[in-house]
Amino acid sequence: MAVWALGINHTTAPLDLRGRFAFALDQIAPTLHGLRQSLGNSGGGASRHPGVETAIISTCNRTEIYCAGEQAAMDHTLGWLAQSGGVSPALLRSHSYTLEDSLVARHAFRVASGLDSMVLGEAQILGQMKDAVRAAETAGALGTTLNQLFQRSFAVAKEVRSSTEIGAHSISMAAAAVRLASQLFEDLGKIRVLFVGAGEMIELCATHFAAKNPKQIAIANRTLERGEKLATRFGGEVMRLADLPERLHEFDAVISCTASSLPIIGLGAVERALKKRRHRPMFMVDLAVPRDIEPEVKALGDVYLYTVDDLATVVQTAQANRQAAVAQAEAIIDAGVQSFMHWMELRSPAGAAGGVVPLIQQLNAQTDEWRAAEIARAKKLLAKGENVDAVLEALSRGLTQKMLHGTLAELRAGDAEMRAQTAQTVSRLFLRSQSKNGQ
C-alpha cells in the first residue's frame, strides 16, 4: 500500500485561500465520497485507483487530505482539491505540501501532538483529528491502513503530552484574544462582549473572557437552543443572528467563529455601529475560516480586528522553554514513525521486500489444508476399527512428510552452491535448537 497526503496550512497559504478549502464537519462525508469517486474512476469509467482510503482534516489553520491505496495518485488528488476550491492546480501547488509514506506518518504524528500548530502544543487539534477520523469512518472511507495511521497518531500524541511539557508553555487562541483585549481596554470588567457562534472555539473564548467578569456577555447563534445553553452557562443573554446588525453597536468586543461560507458581519454594519458608538473603539476577533467579518473592516480607524493569522505573534512565547519539550516530542515521534513503517512493510504483498504478513497467511492456509486432510484420513481409519496408536502414528507421519516434502526436494535440486545455501537456510529454520545446544 502507498500512503500520501496533500495539505495547506497557516504557514503555506494565506487566510483567504485556506477559506476556499474549509470543510464543515457535516460536509466531510459527501466530500470524501466525491474524492473517492474521482480517484476510483477514469474518464472511460474503468477502475483507476480502486479501494482508495481517504480522510480529510479541516480546521481554521489547515485542510489536509490523507489517502492510502495500491499506488499514490498525488497529481490527481491535487487536481481534485484545486477544482473543489475553484483555483488552478498550479496556484494550489504553490501553497501546498505533498507527502508520501514515512513523511505522511511523521506529519500526522506531529499534527496530533501539537507540534505543527500555530499554537505550539495546543490540544484542540487532537480532538479535531478524532472528529475527522470518525467522520471518515462513518462515510465508509477509512480502511485498515489509514485507521492504523491515525490510531498510532493518537497514541503518539498521548505519549507526547504525558511524557513532555509541550502543552505547558502554550497560549491558546482564546487566551491570546483576552491578552489583546487587555491591551486595548484598561478594565475588562467594564466591557460588553458579544460571541458570534456557539462551537468549541467560542465556548473556549467565552470561558477565558468570563474569568475577567465583563459587564455583559451575549451569544448570537443561528440555533437559539445551542446559544441559550452557552449563554446560561456564562450568565449571559442569547440573541438571533438576524438581530446582530441592529445591536452590534452595544458591544465593545466581538469574537466570531461560525461555519458560515460567507461573511456575516459586513463593512456597512460595522460602520453604522461605530457611528452609534460615536467612534468609541471596538475590539473584534475573527477566528473563522472562511472569514466571518469582511476584511475591509480592518481599515476602519476605530476598529481593532484580528484574524487567526494575526494571533500568531501573540502565541509565540516562552520559546526557550519549549525547545527541550519539542526535542523530547520529536524523539517519541521518530519511534512512532519507525513502528508504523515496520507495520506497513509487514503488510506488503507476498514476494515484495518485507512482505511477511501475506506469506504467513499463505503458510497458515497451507498447513491447515494438510492438517484437515490428515485428520479426515485418520477419522476414516478409526471408523474402520483400526488401532488408535497406529492411526496416530500414521497421522503424525503424514503431516511430517507433507511439511518436509518441499524442503527435501529443494535440498536435492540445483547446483552445489544452491544446495549449500538451501542447507544453511534449512539448518537455521529447523535445527535452531540443536545448533544452540552444540555451541
Side-chain angles (χ1 to χ4, degrees):
M1 293 286 283
V3 182
W4 69 98
L6 162 71
I8 57 173
N9 65 18
H10 58 283
T11 64
T12 69
L15 177 61
D16 289 332
L17 183 62
R18 298 204 307 274
R20 286 180 169 270
F21 301 100
F23 299 101
L25 203 56
D26 58 1
Q27 296 177 306
I28 295 296
T31 302
L32 287 173
H33 176 73
L35 172 58
R36 297 186 80 205
Q37 193 172 43
S38 175
L39 285 168
N41 294 295
S42 64
S47 178
R48 177 186 289 174
H49 301 288
V52 174
E53 304 174 31
T54 57
I56 294 177
I57 298 172
S58 184
T59 72
C60 293
N61 294 332
R62 72 185 65 247
T63 292
E64 296 179 342
I65 296 176
Y66 291 81
C67 301
E70 291 182 3
Q71 59 184 37
M74 191 73 74
D75 289 342
H76 191 95
T77 308
L78 187 142
W80 176 87
L81 184 60
Q83 184 178 25
S84 72
V87 303
S88 69
L91 177 62
L92 178 58
R93 192 183 301 276
S94 67
H95 289 283
S96 64
Y97 43 91
T98 56
L99 307 161
E100 292 190 43
D101 300 328
S102 64
L103 294 180
V104 176
R106 182 176 301 280
H107 181 76
F109 295 174
R110 296 186 84 253
V111 170
S113 302
L115 267 67
D116 195 65
S117 298
M118 183 180 289
V119 182
L120 184 66
E122 60 94 4
Q124 187 181 13
I125 183 61
L126 185 58
Q128 292 169 328
M129 285 184 73
K130 289 182 177 180
D131 289 341
V133 170
R134 277 192 292 268
E137 192 170 20
T138 301
L142 207 65
T144 302
T145 301
L146 285 190
N147 184 63
Q148 189 72 206
L149 172 70
F150 288 119
Q151 294 307 319
R152 286 171 181 260
S153 297
F154 304 151
V156 166
K158 181 178 180 180
E159 185 176 356
V160 166
R161 295 183 191 284
S162 62
S163 303
T164 76
E165 295 186 359
I166 194 69
H169 310 294
S170 67
I171 301 177
S172 70
M173 289 291 181
V178 171
R179 179 176 293 189
L180 286 171
S182 299
Q183 294 174 3
L184 180 62
F185 303 107
E186 291 184 6
D187 185 358
L188 295 185
K190 296 180 179 179
I191 69 171
R192 301 175 187 272
V193 187
L194 170 65
F195 297 98
V196 184
E200 184 179 354
M201 181 58 78
I202 287 296
E203 184 176 358
L204 189 61
C205 287
T207 301
H208 279 73
F209 272 93
K212 300 296 182 180
N213 297 311
K215 188 174 183 179
Q216 179 187 0
I217 288 180
I219 308 290
N221 194 51
R222 198 175 305 277
T223 305
L224 277 182
E225 182 181 356
R226 171 66 177 164
E228 285 174 351
K229 184 178 178 181
L230 204 57
T232 301
R233 175 179 167 185
F234 297 109
E237 67 164 303
V238 65
M239 58 186 279
R240 297 181 183 275
L241 276 181
D243 298 332
L244 193 151
E246 295 303 317
R247 295 193 57 187
L248 192 59
H249 68 282
E250 300 175 18
F251 301 96
D252 305 294
V254 179
I255 293 88
S256 186
C257 187
T258 74
S260 175
S261 59
L262 296 172
I264 57 177
I265 301 177
L267 176 63
V270 179
E271 287 178 328
R272 290 191 294 275
L274 286 174
K275 187 175 181 180
K276 290 181 180 179
R277 290 173 60 83
R278 296 183 180 179
H279 293 278
R280 284 183 291 115
M282 289 183 71
F283 172 77
M284 306 184 82
V285 178
D286 186 354
L287 295 173
V289 179
R291 296 176 190 257
D292 277 347
I293 303 173
E294 288 187 342
E296 292 80 7
V297 170
K298 197 178 185 73
L300 297 176
D302 299 305
V303 174
Y304 297 83
L305 172 61
Y306 298 90
T307 67
V308 287
D309 288 356
D310 294 326
L311 295 181
T313 56
V314 180
V315 301
Q316 297 305 319
T317 59
Q319 187 67 29
N321 289 335
R322 287 199 296 259
Q323 289 312 307
V326 168
Q328 289 177 291
E330 293 286 10
I332 294 171
I333 288 169
D334 284 342
V337 171
Q338 291 178 16
S339 176
F340 176 72
M341 293 310 297
H342 178 65
W343 179 84
M344 287 282 287
E345 289 171 0
L346 290 179
R347 298 189 64 83
S348 299
V356 176
V357 171
L359 183 58
I360 290 173
Q361 292 171 342
Q362 291 178 20
L363 285 171
N364 284 332
Q366 180 65 80
T367 53
D368 283 344
E369 183 181 330
W370 290 336
R371 183 175 57 84
E374 290 302 320
I375 288 177
R377 181 169 174 269
K379 286 181 177 179
K380 287 180 180 179
L381 292 174
L382 289 173
K384 291 179 180 179
E386 295 285 345
N387 179 272
V388 174
D389 289 339
V391 171
L392 290 175
E393 181 71 22
L395 184 149
S396 62
R397 189 184 305 111
L399 274 177
T400 302
Q401 289 174 347
K402 283 181 170 61
M403 291 181 179
L404 290 179
H405 175 74
T407 301
L408 296 175
E410 286 295 319
L411 282 170
R412 299 188 185 103
D415 56 25
E417 183 179 354
M418 181 65 71
R419 288 198 299 272
Q421 291 178 358
T422 303
Q424 289 179 359
T425 302
V426 170
S427 296
R428 188 171 69 255
L429 294 176
F430 294 100
L431 306 176
R432 182 181 300 179
S433 58
Q434 287 90 329
S435 298
K436 288 181 178 179
N437 292 336
Q439 287 177 353

